[in-house]
């Protein structure tokens, strides 16, 4: 299994070509910590978005949630992965 760690906001999205849901993990704890996020559901709180783009999945992060100064920025592109195959605390961690 692989763990893909973001220790800071990437300048460009990190492309992962061999992500395996249920086996690999996206560790985004540092960018959530840097943003001061302490919630329990970053998708509902508009800090995180997981969307399809062709055969890939885009993981987007907004450092201050909806309506703030920042906007969603793609932090990961997962090739050949569907958004519905990803599970919080299994495939990605934020806290």
């Amino acid at each position: 299994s692989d763990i893909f760690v973001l220790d800071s906001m990437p300048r460009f999205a990190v492309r992962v070509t061999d992500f395996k849901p249920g086996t690999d993990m996206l560790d985004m704890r540092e960018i959530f910590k840097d943003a001061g996020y302490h919630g329990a559901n970053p998708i509902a709180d508009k800090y995180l978005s997981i969307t399809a783009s062709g055969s890939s999945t885009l993981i987007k992060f907004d450092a201050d949630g909806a309506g703030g100064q920042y906007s969603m920025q793609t932090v990961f592109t997962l090739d050949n992965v569907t958004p519905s195959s990803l599970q919080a605390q299994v495939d990605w961690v934020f806290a």
Side-chain angles (χ1 to χ4, degrees):
S1 64
D2 295 317
I3 300 174
F4 301 92
V5 178
L6 285 181
D7 55 9
S8 63
M9 283 296 290
R11 190 168 178 193
F12 301 100
V14 175
R15 180 172 293 276
V16 181
T17 59
D18 62 346
F19 189 85
K20 294 174 187 69
T23 301
D24 296 337
M25 180 178 283
L26 305 174
D27 182 342
M28 297 178 281
R29 289 179 286 192
E30 283 301 314
I31 63 172
F32 278 94
K33 178 181 168 187
D34 289 347
Y37 181 77
H38 299 289
N41 188 338
I43 293 174
D45 295 337
K46 308 294 185 197
Y47 279 79
L48 192 69
S49 170
I50 301 174
T51 59
S53 177
S55 63
S56 298
T57 291
L58 303 179
I59 310 295
K60 296 182 179 187
F61 178 76
D62 184 337
D64 58 7
Q69 168 183 349
Y70 302 104
S71 60
M72 287 285 179
Q73 177 183 339
T74 303
V75 292
F76 283 108
T77 299
L78 307 178
D79 290 347
N80 302 308
V81 173
T82 61
S84 63
S85 69
L86 300 175
Q87 299 177 44
Q89 304 305 328
V90 173
D91 298 307
W92 55 273
V93 292
F94 63 93

